[in-house]
Structures are given as structure tokens and as C-alpha cells.
Amino acid sequence: MSRKHSPARARSTSRKLSVGGWVAIITTALVICGSLTAYAGYHNISSNLNQENVNTDKFGDRPTKVEGVTNILVVGSDARDGENADYGEAEGERPDTLAIAQLLPEEKSANLVNLPRDSIVAMPACDPVEGKDNKPGQEAHTGMIGEAMNSGGMQCLWKTVEQLTGVHIDHFVSVDFTGFKGMVNSVGGVPMCIPEPVTDEKAGGLELEAGKQTLNGEDALGYVRSRKGQGDGSDLSRIKRQQDFMGAMLKKVTSGDMLTSPTNINDFLASVTESLTTDDELNLSTMSDLAITMREVSMDDITFVTVPNGPHPNDPNRLQWSQPAADELFNALANGQSLAEDDKDSGGDGDGGGGSVEPQEVSAEVINATGITGLAEEVSGGLRERDFRVAGTGNPRGEVPDQTTVYYGDGQKKHAEALADELSTATVESNPALGETVQLVLSSDWDGFQGSGDSGGVPDGVEGKTASDAEVECG
């Protein structure tokens, strides 16, 4: 069975996430929710979960879903109603934090890509939300990305993110201020290194001393929301602190006994689920399935990145996404490519033996099934530039695949994967009739080589960090 290919890579065996741990990268709540299926409190907790229908059929053409990859839109809501009214007044509802969490179980990795709330983008038209006068919909226009949620709810925000990024979104998770505090308190607080004293009246009167300390829910919320009281006051510096905090929370959850005690898990969920909202297809059973598939992920392979950006030419206080770096990042996500650095030996998978395959070890025949004259020779030149050996070119005989495909014979799977890693879009598929030469068949979806020419890691021009990089200790 063929699938869209993303680089296979081995992962370090230290500090693995258990079933429940990896959720810290996307709000911490999801996997621990999924872990509850074995406990008597499951049904009571399940009834607390808020769910919302998102009709993706109304989106029109959507990005292609990559088999085996789950993309979750993560929203930190700034809603100020109910228990959140203590955090001041705000007109409408916009995402305080917006990110795409990509789960790659076959790669044993995860990507978390922040979309800055100050981004000025091309917004699509959205319908009004039935029964909500405060969600009138919107015409297509240019504006800040968070406007989509305010004018058309989660459905409009989901549609906007898909159209801007070309990444197929499978689910959404939204947590408000109260839910965030509950998560932090239920794990006993989160240790952090605070480099300088912090005072910020606009972040709930936040006051923190410099040095290592354990943040409770209230202080943690102020810390991740604070702008003017820390750094340069920008949303970008705040995103970096949020990434550090998520990494620190992940370390706390996976290093203690949080996940070994049914009581701890139930306490966590009781404090969180009333403030957690998901789409109606992301129930606790689905969360549990996702948790199980991601239990082998190492913190070294959870990558945090922010969309490349710079000041907007019309307003230096707003951002525009930098090209081509932003598109290269979104292309990697759309194709299910891990952003973790590929600096480890790839272990054996039962086909082709252990160890990585270098381009010069791969011999490939290029078959042009596109009808574009001269494309096979052009692609052959690109392969030679990347140190692959080209055994020849030709035209197809018989049926051709719908997608660009690298076929391989016995013992040659890693050779085919090494070639596919260099292509923007490709599948790999076995063909026992082939010998030691793999066969690249260019089909109608041919989209060239990867922009960076790299088979893994963060694309050029994109800065990234891992969950292991979180500053917990000082000095």
C-alpha cells in the first residue's frame, strides 16, 4: 500500500513520552484525556468535554490529507465570559495563541508551528454562524489572522488556516484561561528559569522574581500571556516564552508520577475538560488512539517553530510572512515531513538493513509519464546535482500511477526513500521485478525538488527548537 512519503528516521530512546505525555505540546490535555479510557471516571469526564461541529464540506477544495498524519489546530482562546471575566474586558473572541500541532507516529516525532496573532494575511469569505449575532461572517479581505475566529467562529478560523497554509486540518482543540490554569495546578505547577524579574499589570498583575521557581496556574497564565512586561514586548518574544513553557510542562509531566496514578489523571481532567473544546469528531476514544500511536516520541523530536516573518510594510507593529521560507515550511507540513533534525542513524526496518543511504549509493531510472517533453532529462540533471546516479531515462509502458512514485525491488526500500526525500511530492512502492536500480515515475502531480534540498529538519530560513531546549534550570 503506497502512502505519501516523509523521511523515515530513528529516534533516541531516552525521555520517551508515555501514553499521555505528548499532549503538553498541544495543550497537554489531549493524551491524558485519552489515557482515561481504562478508568471508572471515564464517562463522567467525557460528559464534561465541550464539542462543536465544524462543517468542512462547506470549505470547497481542501488540502490533501496525508495518510498516517494528524494535524490539530490549537487555539488558546481569549474569551472573557463566565469564569474568564476576571481577566479584563475584550471585544469579541480571538485566539490568544494559534498553532498547528502535527503528529507523525511513523516518524516518532511531532511538529508545533505557531502562527503569530499579529500576522496580516489574506482572509477568505466566511458565512455567518447560525444563531450567533456576534458572528456575522466576513467578506474576503486582508486583515489580522485572528479576525476569522471573531467574525465566523472556529469554522472560519479552520477554513482560513487551511487556505493560508495548504495544510489539511483534522481536528481543533481550544482551551481558555481557566482551563490553562487548571492544567498547571493539577500537575503541581511547572518549574521554569525566569531570567529577569517580571512585573506586568496587564497580565493579571504578574510579579515574578528572577531565578528558578515553580509557577502555579495563575502565575503561569500571566507568564505566557505577558507582552509588555518582558523582552521587547512583541508577540514573537511571547511565542518563544510559550514554547519554552510547553517544553517545561512536558518535562514535568513525563518525569514524575502524574501518569501512573488514576487519581492524578482524574484530578487533571476534572479541572480541564469543562474549559476544553474540540470538534465533535475528536472524542476521548479518538484521543486515546492518538495517544497510543505517539507513545514512543522523544522530546528531542518535538519541534517548535514559528512561521518565518518580518514587519509588515504598512504597519511595523504587524507582521507579514516571509517568502519563500514560509511556503517551504508549509510545504513540509503539507507533505507530513518531520522537522526534527535528521542527525541519528536510521535503524533497520526489515527491508534493506540498517544505516542511512547516501545519494551516491542510489541508482535510479527516470520515467516521464507527464507528457512534458524533456522533463526526464531535466529531473535527471537535478538528481545528479544531488549526487544520485542516473541509470537512464524513458517513457512509460502500460499503466502509470496517479502520483509521482519511486518503485523499489528487494532490499532497496531505503534507497527509494532517500530519493523520495528529495522530492516535493512522492510515494514509495514495492516492485519485486526491479533489481538494484530504483525507478522514479514522474506523474501529473510532479512538483519539483524539496526547496531546501534537505531530507529532514527545519527548512532553511526557519528557526526551530525542541521540547528538550526548555530552560528549567538557571545558570
Side-chain angles (χ1 to χ4, degrees):
M1 180 176 181
S2 65
R3 63 178 179 86
K4 185 162 285 189
H5 177 73
S6 55
R9 61 189 87 241
R11 303 297 173 196
S12 63
T13 57
S14 62
R15 300 166 78 181
K16 300 289 187 185
L17 278 74
S18 61
V19 179
W22 60 270
V23 155
I25 65 168
I26 60 173
T27 65
T28 306
L30 284 184
V31 175
I32 297 181
C33 287
S35 301
L36 241 197
T37 55
Y39 302 122
Y42 170 80
H43 294 293
N44 291 333
I45 296 299
S46 179
S47 64
N48 288 339
L49 189 65
N50 301 300
Q51 293 190 299
E52 179 180 325
N53 175 258
V54 175
N55 186 359
T56 56
D57 291 340
K58 291 186 175 182
F59 291 1
D61 292 337
R62 298 183 63 200
T64 301
K65 176 173 174 56
V66 179
E67 182 182 349
V69 175
T70 300
N71 297 313
I72 302 175
L73 186 64
V74 179
V75 179
S77 172
D78 71 350
R80 309 299 173 91
D81 55 355
E83 295 183 36
N84 298 298
D86 292 340
Y87 296 96
E89 297 181 359
E91 183 179 350
E93 179 185 15
R94 294 172 178 81
D96 210 47
T97 298
L98 182 62
I100 299 172
Q102 182 171 76
L103 312 180
L104 302 159
E106 289 190 18
E107 310 303 328
K108 298 182 181 178
S109 67
N111 303 321
L112 189 79
V113 179
N114 283 91
L115 309 176
R117 61 177 294 174
D118 288 345
S119 301
I120 300 295
V121 297
M123 310 279 283
C126 292
D127 295 332
V129 178
E130 292 184 14
K132 293 187 178 182
D133 294 338
N134 62 342
K135 295 287 189 291
Q138 66 183 25
E139 300 291 334
H141 70 289
T142 298
M144 290 179 63
I145 191 169
E147 292 178 18
M149 186 175 180
N150 192 50
S151 59
M154 189 58 65
Q155 180 151 316
C156 185
L157 184 62
W158 185 324
K159 176 182 178 180
T160 298
V161 171
E162 279 201 347
Q163 291 198 9
L164 289 173
T165 65
V167 176
H168 181 98
I169 302 298
D170 299 288
H171 301 289
F172 86 83
V173 175
S174 176
V175 64
D176 61 21
F177 297 157
T178 302
F180 179 86
K181 289 196 306 178
M183 281 190 285
V184 175
N185 287 333
S186 66
V187 300
V190 175
M192 287 287 294
C193 175
I194 309 300
E196 297 178 353
V198 179
T199 300
D200 192 343
E201 287 297 326
K202 293 185 177 181
L206 177 68
E207 291 189 10
L208 296 175
E209 298 179 357
K212 182 180 178 180
Q213 52 198 286
T214 298
L215 303 184
N216 62 23
E218 192 71 47
D219 287 342
L221 177 62
Y223 180 75
V224 300
R225 294 193 62 241
S226 172
R227 289 185 63 167
K228 304 302 181 183
Q230 299 186 68
D232 60 8
S234 71
D235 188 42
L236 295 178
S237 64
R238 182 174 68 162
I239 286 174
K240 291 180 180 179
R241 289 192 296 274
Q242 291 171 348
Q243 292 172 341
D244 285 337
F245 182 85
M246 284 188 285
M249 188 169 184
L250 181 55
K251 288 182 179 180
K252 174 65 181 288
V253 170
T254 57
S255 62
D257 61 358
M258 171 70 197
L259 302 177
T260 63
S261 165
T263 300
N264 288 346
I265 293 177
N266 275 278
D267 289 346
F268 177 93
L269 290 171
S271 66
V272 172
T273 48
E274 290 185 355
S275 301
L276 191 71
T277 302
T278 71
D279 59 280
D280 56 7
E281 293 186 2
L282 186 58
N283 52 36
L284 293 189
S285 177
T286 304
M287 293 178 194
S288 180
D289 291 340
L290 290 173
I292 291 170
T293 65
M294 293 296 289
R295 61 190 170 191
E296 293 295 317
V297 176
S298 162
M299 284 194 290
D300 290 332
D301 296 311
I302 299 171
T303 306
F304 299 112
V305 301
T306 301
V307 177
N309 61 79
H312 195 279
N314 296 332
D315 185 348
N317 294 317
R318 298 290 180 256
L319 302 173
Q320 68 175 1
W321 294 347
S322 303
Q323 298 298 350
D327 280 349
E328 290 177 358
L329 172 62
F330 294 141
N331 184 65
L333 293 179
N335 286 310
Q337 177 180 317
S338 174
L339 302 181
E341 292 297 333
D342 190 12
D343 56 1
K344 315 172 189 71
D345 289 338
S346 57
D349 62 359
D351 191 347
S356 59
V357 172
E358 298 298 326
Q360 56 267 29
E361 300 177 59
V362 180
S363 176
E365 180 186 21
V366 182
I367 302 298
N368 181 9
T370 68
I372 302 173
T373 303
L375 183 60
E377 290 296 337
E378 178 183 334
V379 172
S380 296
L383 291 176
R384 292 188 183 98
E385 290 175 0
R386 290 163 173 78
D387 294 330
F388 290 91
R389 293 184 290 124
V390 177
T393 61
N395 296 317
R397 294 185 296 272
E399 187 177 354
V400 299
D402 293 331
Q403 293 178 291
T404 295
T405 303
V406 184
Y407 293 97
Y408 62 91
D410 291 343
Q412 299 296 306
K413 182 177 181 180
K414 290 186 180 297
H415 294 69
E417 290 177 337
L419 194 156
D421 286 350
E422 298 291 335
L423 311 179
S424 291
T425 303
T427 63
V428 293
E429 191 168 315
S430 173
N431 181 352
L434 294 175
E436 295 184 356
T437 296
V438 300
Q439 187 179 75
L440 168 59
V441 179
L442 309 173
S443 195
S444 57
D445 68 336
W446 169 252
D447 194 31
F449 293 91
Q450 289 279 6
S452 66
D454 195 349
S455 62
V458 178
D460 293 341
V462 181
E463 296 183 2
K465 64 172 64 176
T466 72
S468 295
D469 296 331
E471 294 293 340
V472 175
E473 302 294 335
C474 294

